[in-house]
Amino acid sequence: RYNTKSFITIKIKTEFQKKMADSWLKDLQSQICKEFEILEKGRKKFVKRDWCKEDKKEGGGTSFMMLNGSIFEKVGVNKSTVSGKFKKKFRSKILGANKDGKYWASGISVVAHMKNPKIPAFHFNTRFIVTSKEWFGGGMDVTPSHEDKEEKLYVHDELKKVCLHNKKNYKNYKNWCDKYFYLPHRNEARGIGGIFFDYETQNWNNNFKFVRELGLTFIDISKSVIEKKKSLKWAKKDKNKQLIKRGRYVEFNLLYDRGTKFGLNTGGNTESILMSLPPQANWK
């Protein structure tokens, strides 16, 4: 027998979870922008831009962009909350997408390309998606153009800590990240990796706690690395090396990135979706 009371209870619970996740992501966006502006010491500020889907009832997002700073050559901090129906050809690629293709999604994406080539590029994103199922996904990875073994150890140690603290399998997440952020046409990794996860459907409270702590860990890691390296001297050859590495970044994001594909297939804002692309890049 169809249990109406149970259905209503589940629906109310899901709506509450959506509001909680959406509220936190908005707050995290604000925190990241604040901390990055502090690093710029007031010399540069983020520029805010709001956008809506063609059908405004299906939501939209807010993009914050900073260009040509003393630290950040380009950094975007985007948050969106959207709903609608997946295209038929895209539904098979989404967990829980039924024949009606209905979805709701809230997420944040951060990509920072640095002026000083000795400082790596940073990427972080997390999202909560609801179809006939509901799950968290996301991760963080770092893309340097100059090798620094100590920095690599620091990044992975911090990510390992947040995983262990939340009883998450760091090794699996690290391996997933290494496999995901890989350019098969060049047979090379995009950077030094990090962690990546998706389809976290079990224990909503624990997963929500984990993505919150991961967001704060991203802030701590990026600030620590930037503070340590922001005064390092660099030459034109260092910048050229960074620009070549950025070319690899472009290739990955246009050919393989799931977030790019998700945004383009759900009527997202093109400028916000392609925010991850660097201001300049070179190819040999």
Side-chain angles (χ1 to χ4, degrees):
R1 178 183 291 181
Y2 186 77
N3 192 324
T4 305
K5 185 176 181 181
S6 177
F7 172 77
I8 293 173
T9 300
I10 292 172
K11 189 173 182 180
I12 291 174
K13 181 181 178 182
T14 300
E15 289 302 315
F16 174 76
Q17 291 172 342
K18 291 195 302 189
K19 288 181 180 180
M20 288 285 288
D22 189 57
S23 178
W24 160 250
L25 292 172
K26 183 178 180 180
D27 185 55
L28 179 62
Q29 182 187 39
S30 178
Q31 289 185 61
I32 293 171
C33 290
K34 178 182 177 181
E35 294 295 338
F36 283 3
E37 285 185 345
I38 289 173
L39 287 170
E40 286 287 346
K41 296 183 177 179
R43 291 186 287 263
K44 280 286 181 177
K45 297 287 185 180
F46 279 96
V47 176
K48 179 182 178 182
R49 181 176 60 85
D50 294 318
W51 63 271
C52 290
K53 291 183 67 174
E54 189 173 340
D55 183 346
K56 293 184 178 180
K57 293 180 181 179
E58 295 184 347
T62 301
S63 299
F64 284 90
M65 183 77 74
M66 186 194 298
L67 296 170
N68 302 318
S70 60
I71 302 293
F72 300 98
E73 191 167 350
K74 179 183 178 184
V75 54
V77 187
N78 294 347
K79 178 195 168 290
S80 62
T81 304
V82 294
S83 61
K85 293 184 178 181
F86 290 120
K87 297 175 183 178
K88 287 184 179 180
K89 64 179 180 180
F90 193 61
R91 291 173 193 172
S92 62
K93 301 177 182 179
I94 302 296
L95 178 67
N98 289 335
K99 290 182 178 180
D100 62 12
K102 289 184 178 180
Y103 73 90
W104 178 96
S106 184
I108 184 172
S109 178
V110 185
V111 178
H113 294 289
M114 318 308 293
K115 181 177 181 180
N116 188 330
K118 298 291 183 68
I119 307 175
F122 297 95
H123 164 250
F124 164 79
N125 80 83
T126 192
R127 54 199 172 273
F128 179 52
I129 297 178
V130 178
T131 54
S132 66
K133 298 182 181 294
E134 52 194 50
W135 76 93
F136 286 97
M140 171 188 174
D141 71 291
V142 179
T143 305
S145 56
H146 293 70
E147 185 179 15
D148 186 334
K149 293 181 180 178
E150 183 180 331
E151 178 180 271
K152 183 176 180 179
L153 285 173
Y154 165 71
V155 169
H156 281 280
D157 282 347
E158 293 302 302
L159 292 174
K160 186 175 183 178
K161 287 177 187 176
V162 74
C163 286
L164 292 177
H165 184 251
N166 287 277
K167 298 181 179 180
K168 298 296 183 181
N169 193 318
Y170 161 77
K171 186 176 181 180
N172 282 354
Y173 284 177
K174 177 186 180 300
N175 290 340
W176 198 342
C177 185
D178 289 340
K179 185 177 179 180
Y180 177 63
F181 290 106
Y182 187 80
L183 291 89
H185 65 285
R186 291 196 180 274
N187 196 30
E188 66 181 53
R190 188 174 83 169
I192 61 172
I195 61 172
F196 182 82
F197 59 96
D198 213 353
Y199 311 130
E200 286 287 354
T201 59
Q202 302 297 318
N203 199 323
W204 190 90
N205 288 332
N206 285 357
N207 288 331
F208 186 39
K209 176 176 176 291
F210 171 60
V211 298
R212 295 201 309 271
E213 292 186 10
L214 179 59
L216 298 178
T217 298
F218 163 74
I219 294 175
D220 291 340
I221 290 174
S222 54
K223 284 178 59 181
S224 177
V225 172
I226 290 169
E227 289 286 4
K228 184 178 179 180
K229 292 190 164 184
K230 65 182 181 181
S231 298
L232 292 180
K233 294 182 179 180
W234 53 275
K236 185 177 180 180
K237 64 178 183 179
D238 299 316
K239 193 66 177 180
N240 288 337
K241 190 175 180 180
Q242 181 196 47
L243 295 179
I244 293 294
K245 191 64 175 178
R246 284 181 178 177
R248 303 292 201 267
Y249 210 96
V250 171
E251 290 172 15
F252 177 86
N253 280 36
L254 293 182
L255 292 173
Y256 308 114
D257 188 76
R258 293 167 65 178
T260 301
K261 293 178 181 179
F262 183 91
L264 294 174
N265 279 281
T266 56
N269 179 264
T270 302
E271 296 302 323
S272 295
I273 295 167
L274 300 180
M275 162 283 285
S276 61
L277 301 182
Q280 288 181 306
N282 281 350
W283 283 263
K284 290 182 180 179

